[in-house]
Amino acid sequence: SAVISQKPSRDICQRGTSLTIQCQVDSQVTMMFWYRQQPGQSLTLIATANQGSEATYESGFVIDKFPISRPNLTFSTLTVSNMSPEDSSIYLCSVDRQGGDVTEAFFGQGTRLTVV
Amino acid sequence: AQKITQTQPGMFVQEKEAVTLDCTYDTSDQSYGLFWYKQPSSGEMIFLIYQGSYDEQNATEGRYSLNFQKARKSANLVISASQLGDSAMYFCAMREAPYNQGGKLIFGQGTELSVKP
């Protein structure tokens, strides 16, 4: 399995501010994925972060709102900008890891964000 | 378009009994992978089991097994001998890619399982 450290684990933020979430992986990975889980909902992919290139955003998510950095093959950050209460969610980073014949997806512990 | 459907918002099971969580999927691709994850109240996502579209045998991992019916496009999770610690949210997910390649996951809405003592 992959060891993924995600920080912070939770935060309460004021509307209009920004929060940067960090994701550190124990080994080099090509792609890192950022998901959002709104309260009582399923997970939705925000973007895919590749080292050395711009992140690829899913429909409904834009770089100005969710800027992503990927400075090396073991680290990524997601910033939630100009927050509103609608941004209150769990944010999770994920990486793929080869496990035998299968490429498994592993997740960080998640960041539980509340915007007040 | 890819879609995962979990029709059971909540399920109850008696401790030590088996329970089946339903998952159906829709894809036009021939190569895909199906995953099940457990999410306790802490919020972390715990990988449980994987089934590849070309796998002929149903996947098993300890008390977890996957009832894969390709023609019906279903991938139900069976938990045997339920334990109190199994109480959590369970998500079915699909990746449209060859099983040995990575990529994004599409998730179902989840089923909340409660195990009764």
Side-chain angles (χ1 to χ4, degrees):
Chain A
S1 63
V3 176
I4 307 172
S5 175
Q6 190 174 333
K7 296 179 182 179
S9 58
R10 58 177 63 232
D11 208 342
I12 301 173
C13 300
Q14 295 290 325
R15 67 177 68 201
T17 63
S18 298
L19 176 72
T20 295
I21 303 166
Q22 299 179 5
C23 185
Q24 178 77 50
V25 189
D26 64 342
S27 62
Q28 295 181 345
V29 292
T30 304
M31 293 187 288
M32 295 180 75
F33 304 90
W34 286 98
Y35 289 85
R36 181 178 72 180
Q37 185 180 21
Q38 295 177 297
Q41 302 294 315
S42 186
L43 281 76
T44 301
L45 183 67
I46 298 171
T48 303
N50 293 311
Q51 195 269 334
S53 63
E54 293 247 337
T56 303
Y57 288 82
E58 297 296 305
S59 176
F61 298 96
V62 294
I63 188 171
D64 290 345
K65 176 67 176 177
F66 298 102
I68 287 171
S69 77
R70 184 80 200 273
N72 57 54
L73 290 172
T74 64
F75 186 79
S76 179
T77 67
L78 170 76
T79 299
V80 186
S81 303
N82 188 24
M83 288 184 284
S84 67
E86 291 71 35
D87 294 319
S88 297
S89 298
I90 298 175
Y91 293 85
L92 299 111
C93 67
S94 172
V95 301
D96 291 331
R97 179 67 54 84
Q98 197 71 26
D101 292 335
V102 176
T103 299
E104 301 175 7
F106 294 96
F107 287 81
Q109 305 94 319
T111 297
R112 193 179 295 267
L113 171 63
T114 302
V115 183
V116 297
Chain B
Q2 312 161 45
K3 189 176 180 181
I4 293 279
T5 303
Q6 293 178 255
T7 58
Q8 306 154 314
M11 290 279 287
F12 289 91
V13 65
Q14 204 68 36
E15 191 179 8
K16 300 181 184 178
E17 291 186 351
V19 63
T20 298
L21 306 183
D22 295 341
C23 173
T24 58
Y25 60 92
D26 188 19
T27 179
S28 57
D29 207 3
Q30 296 301 310
S31 178
Y32 50 88
L34 297 157
F35 299 77
W36 276 93
Y37 288 88
K38 173 184 178 181
Q39 187 180 42
S41 56
S42 59
E44 62 184 310
M45 293 290 283
I46 302 169
F47 168 76
L48 296 178
I49 197 168
Y50 170 87
Q51 180 83 41
S53 58
Y54 292 119
D55 294 340
E56 295 181 354
Q57 303 270 359
N58 285 342
T60 60
E61 288 286 349
R63 293 187 300 111
Y64 304 108
S65 61
L66 204 152
N67 183 2
F68 181 48
Q69 298 186 44
K70 192 170 181 177
R72 299 179 61 183
K73 293 189 174 179
S74 73
N76 299 337
L77 176 70
V78 180
I79 305 175
S80 63
S82 297
Q83 302 172 356
L84 296 178
D86 293 335
S87 293
M89 199 74 171
Y90 288 80
F91 289 98
C92 180
M94 178 172 66
R95 174 193 288 147
E96 270 192 359
Y99 60 86
N100 58 349
Q101 294 184 16
K104 71 178 185 182
L105 295 176
I106 306 297
F107 285 85
Q109 289 301 105
T111 296
E112 186 165 8
L113 178 66
S114 298
V115 181
K116 295 180 174 181

